[in-house]
Structure formats: structure tokens, C-alpha cells
Amino acid sequence: MECNIIKDLIPLYIDSCCSKESAQKIEEHIKICDSCKRLYDEMSAPFEDSTPAEAPKVMSKLNENKASVLQSLLLFFSFALLTLGVTLENKTPFGLNNGYWAITLIIPSTALLLSLANWYFVRSYKSRRSFSTSCLLATLVIASGAYIWAFLHYSFAFSTFIDVFSFFGIGVAIILVFCILSKLLSNRFAKMLGKE
């Protein structure tokens, strides 16, 4: 037999998938042909893969699903707080309580809701830390802008600085809690998606 035919049959011989006659011819040939014997030795040697195995795709898909659930729950939570704040604010259109729900619920939940839009761009950030810091800053900037507007809009109802300070102090405390939540939850979200 020619070497080209033997070389084609060697993989079948190694896998024990050729006929007895072919196996006998291959055995006879590799005893006398160094080139085919070398090919047989190379192909029958155990394969050692030095590259690390990839993480299973199922696990990353599971993490993506968990991240999606977290994002959906936060969107629902923000919408629920926003709806509650608007409903309660609507019940106090006049008087000293006017604006209380806007400052304590509507502004913080709107800031959190708008910062969640940043989560769709998580893959464009270099690190988890830069992403979570960006989410915190987005929450803070949006809330700060809204508080400036609220101060200008509602401050006419207050007679003293202490009234203004106590009124807005609650809102500022709540927004600080929301900023910390935004940082922690965005960090967790990025970690679920495999961001280092």
C-alpha cells in the first residue's frame, strides 16, 4: 500500500474503526516505513491540553438571568415608590405638607430609576468599580438637580431657615441611602455579569 493511503487510514486504525484486513496492512506498513510510524506515534500519543478550560456557558447564562432579575426588581421598586410618592403628593396640594412626598419619595426614586438606565451600558466600563461609582454619581447628580428645583419651587411656603432645613434634611438623608444602594447594587450587578 502507498503511504498516502496508510496515512489516511491511521486515524481509523487508532480508533479501531477499520477492517481486520486494513488493520493488518497498516501494521505491516508501519513496521517498514519510518514516516508512517512517526505519524502513528504522534497521533496515538495522549493529548495534553495546556489551555485552561473555559467556564461553562450555563453558569454565565444563569448569572445573566440573575442580573436581569435584579435589574427588573429595582425598576419595579423605583416605579412603585414613584407611584406612591405621586399619589401621596396629590393628596397634599396645599399647606406645609405640600412637597413633602416629592422630596422624600419622588425625587429619590426618580434619581434611582434614571441611574438604572446606566446599567444597560455596564459592558462599556473598564471595571466594576468605575461602573458602580458612575451609578452613584448619576443618582447623586440627578437628585441634586431635582433638589435644587424643589428648593426653588417649595421654599416660598417656609417662614424660617429651620423649616427649610428640616424639610429638606429628610430628603437629603433618603437620597444618601439611595446613593449607597445604587453603588452597592450596581457593583453586585456588574459582578453577576463577570465584570472585574
Side-chain angles (χ1 to χ4, degrees):
M1 262 189 189
E2 292 182 24
C3 285
N4 289 338
I5 296 171
I6 295 295
K7 286 177 182 177
D8 288 341
L9 293 174
I10 286 176
L12 295 172
Y13 175 73
I14 292 171
D15 292 337
S16 302
C17 294
C18 60
S19 67
K20 288 182 183 180
E21 294 82 20
S22 296
Q24 186 179 6
K25 295 279 185 189
I26 293 168
E27 289 168 1
E28 290 172 4
H29 183 82
I30 59 176
K31 287 180 183 174
I32 58 171
C33 179
D34 290 337
S35 174
C36 291
K37 171 74 171 142
R38 200 172 24 252
L39 179 64
Y40 168 75
D41 290 340
E42 288 173 9
M43 292 181 87
S44 61
F47 180 70
E48 293 181 20
D49 188 10
S50 61
T51 59
E54 284 187 32
K57 297 291 180 187
V58 174
M59 193 60 166
S60 67
K61 189 68 174 166
L62 181 64
N63 285 340
E64 285 179 18
N65 290 340
K66 285 181 180 179
S68 180
V69 167
L70 175 63
Q71 187 175 17
S72 299
L73 287 173
L74 284 173
L75 286 169
F76 176 78
F77 175 72
S78 297
F79 275 122
L81 282 180
L82 188 59
T83 303
L84 178 64
V86 169
T87 302
L88 294 171
E89 184 65 25
N90 191 37
K91 291 182 179 182
T92 59
F94 304 106
L96 290 178
N97 288 332
N98 183 355
Y100 178 78
W101 298 111
I103 290 169
T104 57
L105 281 180
I106 296 172
I107 291 173
S109 59
T110 302
L112 180 63
L113 180 66
L114 293 176
S115 76
L116 288 173
N118 191 34
W119 287 26
Y120 291 103
F121 306 104
V122 65
R123 287 176 177 80
S124 64
Y125 287 88
K126 290 182 181 178
S127 69
R128 219 172 44 215
R129 184 176 181 184
S130 64
F131 171 69
S132 63
T133 302
S134 172
C135 290
L136 178 137
L137 290 175
T139 305
L140 186 62
V141 167
I142 294 165
S144 298
Y147 275 128
I148 291 169
W149 171 85
F151 179 78
L152 295 173
H153 184 74
Y154 293 112
S155 63
F156 69 89
F158 303 108
S159 58
T160 66
F161 180 74
I162 294 171
D163 291 340
V164 174
F165 182 75
S166 63
F167 194 71
F168 283 91
I170 295 168
V172 169
I174 291 172
I175 201 58
L176 288 176
V177 169
F178 274 60
C179 285
I180 292 168
L181 277 174
S182 178
K183 179 155 178 76
L184 294 174
L185 292 171
S186 60
N187 187 43
R188 177 74 178 141
F189 177 76
K191 186 176 183 180
M192 286 177 176
L193 295 177
K195 192 64 111 168
E196 295 299 321

